[in-house]
Amino acid sequence: MVVSLSSSSTITPITLQPKLKPIHAIGTVNFGCSINSHGTSLRRSAVVVSAITGASGTETADLLETVKVSDLRGNEIPISDLWKDRKAVVAFARHFGCVLCRKRAAYLAEKKDVMDASGVTLVLIGPGSIDQAKTFVEQTKFEGEVYADPNHASYEALKFASGVSVTFTPKAAMKIIESYMEGYRQDWKLSFMKDTVERGGWQQGGILVAGPGKDNISYIRKDKEAGDDPPVEEILKACCA
């Protein structure tokens, strides 16, 4: 049994706007299952608990039970339908204009052939409008499925980190510079849209692996700060091993 838990880092909050309250929701969660003598899964049990929520895979699924996201045609879909009948790697972007999220999308898409070979679907969700999601697809040519979460419901349910102190960090600044040097670009028009500035500008994301089965969430990693990408090998081990 392999147990993986990312360590928490100490972040010193800085106050730029008094109404902003940083939320430090961090950690990596891997969930195992108990097997009877016939090889049948009896129940899921948490191998590692989240550093902030303490939620098991089933409990995490319960938090998402009423959450809906929108596809590019404007259809609302229960988020758990994205992995109900299949396994999926679901990446949660900070917002659709974020340069670091565009790099995340690219580094996951580079392994899409491995995911495809294992029957795993690559999905990206962003906090924003359907139009913003369409612009993201047009600009990045992302080959996975893309969904919008206009109400930020999935981010709130999963308690992803948010705040100035987890957005503007030395590591994030270095990763932005690296991303620009590699050719990635921020979309400033998307970044300064009202809903992004008011709600999503300080939002962090994460990655989960789930399915098949609505309650079958086997891996979840919450970003500690902007650009906190896990090693892609860790994701592939969770989805395709």
Side-chain angles (χ1 to χ4, degrees):
M1 181 178 295
V2 178
V3 178
S4 171
L5 180 63
S6 63
S7 59
S8 301
S9 58
T10 301
I11 301 172
T12 303
I14 57 174
T15 303
L16 297 184
Q17 298 182 26
K19 292 183 179 180
L20 296 171
K21 297 181 179 179
I23 302 171
H24 305 290
I26 60 180
T28 301
V29 188
N30 280 290
F31 303 104
C33 58
S34 58
I35 308 295
N36 65 14
S37 60
H38 302 289
T40 304
S41 175
L42 298 176
R43 63 181 178 84
R44 285 173 299 279
S45 59
V47 176
V48 180
V49 295
S50 165
I52 191 70
T53 64
S56 71
T58 303
E59 289 168 345
T60 301
D62 290 342
L63 294 173
L64 294 168
E65 186 176 1
T66 61
V67 171
K68 292 184 178 181
V69 293
S70 298
D71 65 19
L72 299 182
R73 291 169 294 184
N75 300 312
E76 281 196 342
I77 302 169
I79 192 172
S80 58
D81 280 7
L82 299 180
W83 57 79
K84 179 178 66 174
D85 300 315
R86 61 188 183 179
K87 178 172 279 191
V89 172
V90 184
F92 292 84
R94 290 189 56 248
H95 59 80
F96 285 116
C98 172
V99 63
L100 297 175
C101 302
R102 290 162 184 245
K103 182 173 180 178
R104 169 173 288 185
Y107 103 110
L108 290 173
E110 287 176 356
K111 300 298 181 180
K112 189 175 182 297
D113 58 337
V114 179
M115 298 180 196
D116 290 344
S118 299
V120 177
T121 303
L122 177 59
V123 176
L124 184 140
I125 296 173
S129 68
I130 297 167
D131 286 340
Q132 288 175 317
K134 289 180 178 178
T135 300
F136 173 86
V137 173
E138 291 170 1
Q139 292 176 341
T140 64
K141 312 302 181 187
F142 182 68
E143 295 181 356
E145 298 178 10
V146 177
Y147 298 85
D149 183 357
N151 298 317
H152 299 222
S154 60
Y155 291 75
E156 292 173 0
L158 291 169
K159 297 181 174 65
F160 283 136
S162 181
V164 175
S165 65
V166 291
T167 302
F168 298 114
T169 70
K171 286 185 179 179
M174 289 301 298
K175 289 190 175 183
I176 289 172
I177 294 171
E178 290 173 1
S179 297
Y180 266 80
M181 292 179 67
E182 292 169 6
Y184 299 99
R185 294 293 181 266
Q186 183 100 356
D187 185 312
W188 294 106
K189 183 178 179 181
L190 290 180
S191 301
F192 283 99
M193 284 186 172
K194 184 177 179 180
D195 62 337
T196 302
V197 172
E198 288 185 351
R199 299 192 60 181
W202 316 121
Q203 181 66 62
Q204 307 307 316
I207 295 177
L208 66 80
V209 176
K214 289 187 174 183
D215 296 338
N216 187 17
I217 297 177
S218 54
Y219 169 96
I220 180 169
R221 187 182 192 279
K222 302 179 181 184
D223 297 345
K224 300 187 294 292
E225 58 188 335
D228 182 30
D229 293 318
V232 70
E233 293 79 12
E234 180 178 304
I235 299 169
L236 293 177
K237 184 176 180 180
C239 74
C240 307

